[in-house]
Amino acid sequence: MKDELTFYACDTKVLEEKIMTQDLLMGTELAGELERLGQHLGTLYFDNLYLGDVLKKLEELTGAPFKFLLGMGARRLEPCGPVSYCGRQIPAELGEYVFQIDNLQKLMKKAEPTEKEREMLNKWEAFAEKIHLDSEPGCLDALKKFIGKFRDRTPELISVYTRC
């Protein structure tokens, strides 16, 4: 099972003039060029579940654009797929993801959730059971910590989501 999220720091000029043009001209994967010309900041993966599934469910429940972390949506870098997807990130906005994960964790501990909160919790619990989230205890904490440590990065922050 290979499903991981990696962050790279890269100078905007290098990204736009060297990496992206190289990808378009030579067909080289963007992720490989980032590894060579960017700064690898860290990688997160889980052995027993797909990180992409968790991020998609978080987006569905919270409305936060977790798809940007997956290299989808308006910030994706083309061409992409079928294995790796790259996206530009705005480091200051990573706090929104951390905030939403933290809210979900607080909601799970809440003694008496409202009806709307209970509905959201039921969806999350059904999802967690379906993907066997209990096989990766602390996955939300690890995800929150991983994303949170890149909130103050400059100049250019690129996420690479890989799924095989």
Side-chain angles (χ1 to χ4, degrees), residues 28-162:
T28 310
E29 266 205 31
L30 208 99
E33 293 296 314
L34 280 167
E35 188 68 43
R36 194 169 66 78
L37 298 171
Q39 178 190 3
H40 180 269
L41 299 176
T43 300
L44 177 68
Y45 66 91
F46 298 110
D47 293 322
N48 300 312
L49 59 92
Y50 287 112
L51 180 59
D53 294 345
V54 173
L55 292 173
K56 287 175 185 174
K57 189 56 143 184
L58 285 168
E59 179 170 351
E60 178 188 320
L61 293 176
T62 66
F66 283 92
K67 68 179 168 243
F68 292 155
L69 290 175
L70 298 174
M72 300 171 187
R75 294 192 198 145
R76 75 173 172 242
L77 296 174
E78 292 286 0
C80 62
V83 176
S84 61
Y85 300 84
C86 303
R88 283 179 151 157
Q89 302 303 317
I90 299 171
E93 289 183 3
L94 295 179
E96 173 68 15
Y97 305 130
V98 171
F99 175 77
Q100 293 297 343
I101 294 169
D102 193 48
N103 277 348
L104 178 62
Q105 289 178 312
K106 287 177 183 174
L107 188 59
M108 289 189 285
K109 295 175 185 173
K110 193 172 182 179
E112 294 182 30
T114 65
E115 187 177 321
K116 186 177 180 182
E117 291 170 336
R118 172 55 44 206
E119 186 180 312
M120 182 179 169
L121 273 175
N122 288 342
K123 288 179 184 177
W124 177 258
E125 289 166 357
F127 169 75
E129 187 176 315
K130 178 182 170 187
I131 66 162
H132 306 288
L133 193 63
D134 57 344
S135 66
E136 287 287 351
C139 121
L140 288 178
D141 283 328
L143 181 59
K144 182 173 68 173
K145 184 178 178 183
F146 180 72
I147 294 170
K149 70 181 177 180
F150 303 113
R151 289 191 285 191
D152 298 324
R153 293 301 302 201
T154 55
E156 189 83 53
L157 183 66
I158 311 296
S159 66
V160 177
Y161 170 66
T162 306

Side-chain angles (χ1 to χ4, degrees), residues 13-34 36-37 78-79:
K13 185 176 181 177
V14 170
L15 177 68
E16 292 177 353
E17 294 180 8
K18 291 186 179 178
I19 296 176
M20 291 173 71
T21 56
Q22 188 74 2
D23 185 52
L24 294 171
L25 295 173
M26 307 297 279
T28 310
E29 266 205 31
L30 208 99
E33 293 296 314
L34 280 167
R36 194 169 66 78
L37 298 171
E78 292 286 0

